[in-house]
Amino acid sequence: MPATLKVGLVQQAAWPDKARSLAESEAGIRALAAQGATLVLLQELHATHYFCQTEDDTLFDLAEPLDGPSAQRLAALAAELDIVLVGSLFERRAAGLYHNTAVVFDRQQGRVGYYRKMHIPDDPGFYEKFYFTPGDAEADAGFEPIDTSVGRLGLLVCWDQWYPEAARLMALAGADLLLYPTAIGWTPTDAPEEKQRQKDAWTLIQRSHGVANGLPVLVANRVGHEPDPSGASPGIDFWGGSFVCGPQGELLAQAGDAPAHLLVDVDLSRSEQVRRAWPYLRDRRIDAYDELTKRYRDR
């Protein structure tokens, strides 16, 4: 594993036109690889618009199998450009069974792993439970890092970002980095101060996973306004803000609210140094955490 890793993040707009969206992803991948990135992270559901704003069973037609055309295109890019590439698929696993799946392609090896989103939201404008079955912790390996030529990737997806348990389990399984492809934004009618609170919370919680686990964190989010196809709401303004932070939560780079390609050098050796100074894993009271497996501690 290299001591310093040059990582790239693609922050892009996306459209219902899958070919157009994938072309935008590919342009970003190529630009970052040309600048020396050896690990490139794409945002959640980068191949399509964020279709979960409404419940429409015809949109299941957007889904593909793990080895479908979109995955094949990403695998070919990883091989051609000699990079580790993390993409996102609306996966058709079987008839009536679909997942929000992040997929890892490692240079010439092709697909070396995947992660099916475990926490699935169901809120106005984010009706994901209609489309996605959560990953199965036993059948899908759950919160298990994916081994690659650049390190062990603790790969999680969007709504997983709010759960410290998910990040911790990845760290306890030996992840070298935490990665979060996301699709999050605000309703255009929200008050400016509420918008700022939402975005600050989103950035803060993910930086805190870096602090609590002594690991670098990579977050790729989408940008642009996407209308609600049903017309029931004013749509979503995806706020971008993709970033990379170090193992003390320090921001190494952050994008604004426009399409962007982030290129960042991440010093992986700092995790060892930070964990020696802040030995949270050593001091965990594993003898006292049994009730974390309960929904709520009713007394």
Side-chain angles (χ1 to χ4, degrees):
M1 188 178 70
T4 300
L5 182 63
K6 193 175 289 291
V7 304
L9 278 62
V10 178
Q11 175 173 288
Q12 66 172 90
W15 299 269
D17 181 345
K18 190 177 289 187
R20 181 181 180 187
S21 297
L22 281 170
E24 182 97 354
S25 299
E26 179 173 340
I29 295 164
R30 290 188 178 279
L32 289 164
Q35 297 176 73
T38 54
L39 170 63
V40 176
L41 174 64
L42 302 175
Q43 67 204 29
E44 181 186 23
L45 300 173
H46 57 88
T48 68
H49 63 308
Y50 183 73
F51 50 85
C52 306
Q53 292 193 62
T54 186
E55 296 183 354
D56 180 352
D57 61 10
T58 66
L59 294 174
F60 286 106
D61 292 338
L62 292 170
E64 301 179 26
L66 276 174
D67 58 354
S70 295
Q72 292 176 28
R73 183 170 182 177
L74 296 176
L77 280 168
E80 176 194 344
L81 301 173
D82 195 33
I83 60 172
V84 175
L85 176 59
V86 181
S88 176
L89 301 174
F90 179 21
E91 181 198 350
R92 182 190 184 277
R93 186 176 179 184
L97 183 60
Y98 303 84
H99 297 281
N100 186 333
T101 304
V103 187
V104 180
F105 305 94
D106 192 343
R107 307 179 194 266
Q108 304 295 326
Q109 297 182 64
R111 189 183 76 223
V112 293
Y114 61 88
Y115 169 81
R116 291 171 173 148
K117 187 174 180 177
M118 292 284 281
H119 299 93
I120 311 296
D122 189 59
D123 299 298
F126 295 85
Y127 298 112
E128 295 197 13
K129 280 187 167 65
F130 180 80
Y131 295 99
F132 307 131
T133 300
D136 185 295
E138 184 174 349
D140 299 329
F143 302 113
E144 188 70 30
I146 297 169
D147 288 307
T148 74
S149 59
V150 298
R152 305 198 77 202
L153 308 185
L155 180 56
L156 299 159
V157 176
C158 203
W159 197 239
D160 295 323
Q161 70 211 352
W162 301 102
Y163 295 88
E165 300 92 337
R168 177 70 89 201
L169 286 169
M170 285 294 192
L172 292 178
D176 296 309
L177 307 95
L178 298 174
L179 296 86
Y180 293 92
T182 76
I184 190 169
W186 48 53
T187 301
T189 55
D190 283 344
E193 58 270 21
E194 174 58 21
K195 290 179 178 180
Q196 192 61 54
R197 284 192 293 265
Q198 291 174 12
K199 187 176 181 183
D200 287 348
W202 173 81
T203 306
L204 181 62
I205 189 65
Q206 293 173 102
R207 291 175 66 185
S208 77
H209 299 325
V211 175
N213 295 291
L215 293 176
V217 179
L218 283 57
V219 182
N221 191 35
R222 69 206 290 129
V223 293
H225 177 78
E226 295 189 22
D228 180 350
S230 72
S233 77
I236 300 174
D237 289 338
F238 292 97
W239 62 50
S242 302
F243 69 90
V244 177
C245 73
Q248 288 176 292
E250 68 276 22
L251 279 174
L252 303 178
Q254 185 166 29
D257 59 2
H261 304 149
L262 287 185
L263 185 70
V264 185
D265 286 325
V266 176
D267 182 358
L268 298 178
S269 69
R270 287 204 63 247
S271 289
E272 177 73 30
Q273 300 161 17
V274 169
R275 284 183 172 182
R276 289 180 182 184
W278 301 89
Y280 303 131
L281 299 186
R282 182 196 68 189
D283 296 339
R284 293 177 65 240
R285 287 297 306 276
I286 58 174
D287 58 312
Y289 297 155
D290 290 353
E291 292 188 296
L292 282 176
T293 59
K294 294 182 177 181
R295 182 70 64 186
Y296 187 75
R297 296 176 69 193
D298 297 291
R299 297 297 189 205

